Amino acid sequence: MEPIYIPQLTTAPERTEDIQFEEFFSEFETLTPVKGTIVVKHQGNYLEVLAQAETIVTLTCNRCLQKYNHRLSVDTSELIWLDEAADQPDLGPLERETALEDLVETLSPNGYFECREWLYEQLCLALPPRQLCDANCLGIQAKTSMEPDAPKEIDRRWASLAELKKLFPN
């Protein structure tokens, strides 16, 4: 997936770029290639990005630590504002209050839209926060002896102390 030069989008038919893809991401391990489409529309002062993608990933269950396969699907859209100041370094104070309307993605209108990087971020956001192999997963089960009179296993480091303990009556 090649980056899209934003000024070139204004000359594209309907100011839109439609990208079909089927590829592996080196930084995102999957069993199958990530397959789908990305549509990038230039809307004057912002880009409208739509994506549909799917793949299969191997996850580790948070309860029992077993590996399991999960079908990961992304069906998302995002508005990315075009702002001349987007590429400028932020020289403001390190700590400051940020207004809610400032929490938006911005790009330079003369820059590039990195499709691959954006899709990688969307895939990471689509990963389930609670990774469970099954809704009824009980987790790691402690092994308990079925026989109440079974001899308890003694840590070999404490064996000498156990022998010494046998010499003294209770």
Side-chain angles (χ1 to χ4, degrees):
M1 239 180 298
E2 296 296 319
I4 297 173
Y5 185 54
I6 296 172
Q8 204 168 31
L9 265 177
T10 59
T11 61
E14 297 181 28
R15 301 167 65 113
T16 301
E17 179 99 18
D18 192 349
I19 303 165
Q20 304 281 328
F21 58 89
E22 185 173 343
E23 59 185 83
F24 285 99
F25 286 61
S26 59
E27 61 277 1
F28 194 79
E29 266 188 61
T30 59
L31 294 175
T32 60
V34 180
K35 185 186 341 186
T37 60
I38 294 180
V39 178
V40 182
K41 295 179 185 177
H42 195 295
Q43 303 284 22
N45 59 347
Y46 67 93
L47 296 179
E48 182 179 3
V49 185
L50 307 148
Q52 290 183 326
E54 68 176 30
T55 188
I56 297 175
V57 294
T58 300
L59 301 176
T60 303
C61 179
N62 294 143
R63 288 185 185 158
C64 67
L65 302 178
Q66 289 184 344
K67 301 249 185 235
Y68 69 100
N69 294 338
H70 175 76
R71 182 173 298 279
L72 188 64
S73 296
V74 171
D75 188 359
T76 188
S77 64
E78 184 175 7
L79 301 179
I80 302 174
W81 295 99
L82 300 175
D83 184 5
E84 289 289 342
D87 286 343
Q88 303 300 320
D90 186 6
L91 301 174
L94 292 176
E95 291 186 30
R96 64 174 165 224
E97 199 167 315
T98 303
L100 188 60
E101 58 270 5
D102 291 339
L103 297 174
V104 294
E105 201 66 42
T106 58
L107 287 175
S108 169
N110 299 315
Y112 288 87
F113 174 66
E114 300 283 345
C115 302
R116 186 178 180 85
E117 182 180 322
W118 183 84
L119 183 60
Y120 167 75
E121 291 168 356
Q122 301 308 309
L123 289 167
C124 289
L125 289 170
L127 286 171
R130 287 186 66 208
Q131 298 177 4
L132 300 176
C133 61
D134 181 19
N136 299 322
C137 178
L138 298 174
I140 298 173
Q141 299 297 307
K143 294 181 181 177
T144 58
S145 175
M146 296 299 214
E147 300 174 28
D149 296 333
K152 294 180 182 176
E153 190 175 315
I154 298 175
D155 187 337
R156 64 173 177 77
R157 295 171 293 180
W158 294 99
S160 298
L161 185 59
E163 290 299 319
L164 185 61
K165 189 177 176 183
K166 290 178 186 174
L167 297 176
F168 297 100
N170 289 347

